[in-house]
Amino acid sequence: MSYVDFFCLPLPKGKEAEYKATAETFAAVMKEQGMLRYCEAVADDVPRGKVTDFYRAVNADDNETVVASYCVWPDKKTRDKAWEVAMKDPRMTSMTPESMPFDGKRMFWGGFKPLFEI
């Protein structure tokens, strides 16, 4: 069964092109390491909730939108090895917190084992 990484982050409005370039670099590195599928999505039909929502989850302000993304791997072993290798890749190590188009402190992520796949 596959393995999935999910990410969610706040992105300042107007920084979509800059973020896309960063995502393309990330995708190239991870694809070389076995990633099967990758998707970055910008909030489009994302309501603000009364108790919780995507905006609150990343503490987004009115000048920010939310990006949700996922990577699909063949299995957890491939994913774990990919992250180990990628974190040493110069294309990734050059991405410093200061160079990123978003506040990485408010990004959250996690690895998930599928409960059901079709």
Side-chain angles (χ1 to χ4, degrees):
M1 188 169 277
S2 64
Y3 197 78
V4 183
D5 279 322
F6 286 100
F7 312 89
C8 193
L9 59 96
L11 181 66
K13 293 175 182 174
K15 297 271 188 174
E16 290 85 355
E18 189 178 342
Y19 181 76
K20 183 180 177 190
T22 300
E24 288 170 342
T25 299
F26 174 84
V29 172
M30 293 307 206
K31 187 168 172 75
E32 290 171 10
Q33 301 306 318
M35 182 180 66
L36 301 174
R37 184 153 188 219
Y38 179 54
C39 179
E40 291 278 354
V42 177
D44 177 56
D45 185 13
V46 180
R48 293 194 181 264
K50 292 182 180 178
V51 177
T52 190
D53 59 34
F54 280 95
Y55 301 99
R56 285 185 181 119
V58 296
N59 197 27
D61 64 33
D62 291 339
N63 296 315
E64 294 174 314
T65 187
V66 176
V67 172
S69 59
Y70 67 90
C71 304
V72 178
W73 302 93
D75 51 53
K76 187 174 189 297
K77 182 178 177 184
T78 303
R79 176 263 203 174
D80 290 348
K81 181 67 176 169
W83 277 103
E84 180 183 329
V85 172
M87 292 297 101
K88 297 173 188 164
D89 188 298
R91 294 169 290 178
M92 295 288 287
T93 59
S94 68
M95 291 186 210
T96 63
E98 299 78 30
S99 71
M100 300 303 276
F102 64 93
D103 180 0
K105 291 182 221 122
R106 292 184 286 142
M107 174 182 179
F108 65 91
W109 62 90
F112 294 78
K113 57 184 180 180
L115 179 63
F116 174 77
E117 286 184 277
I118 189 167

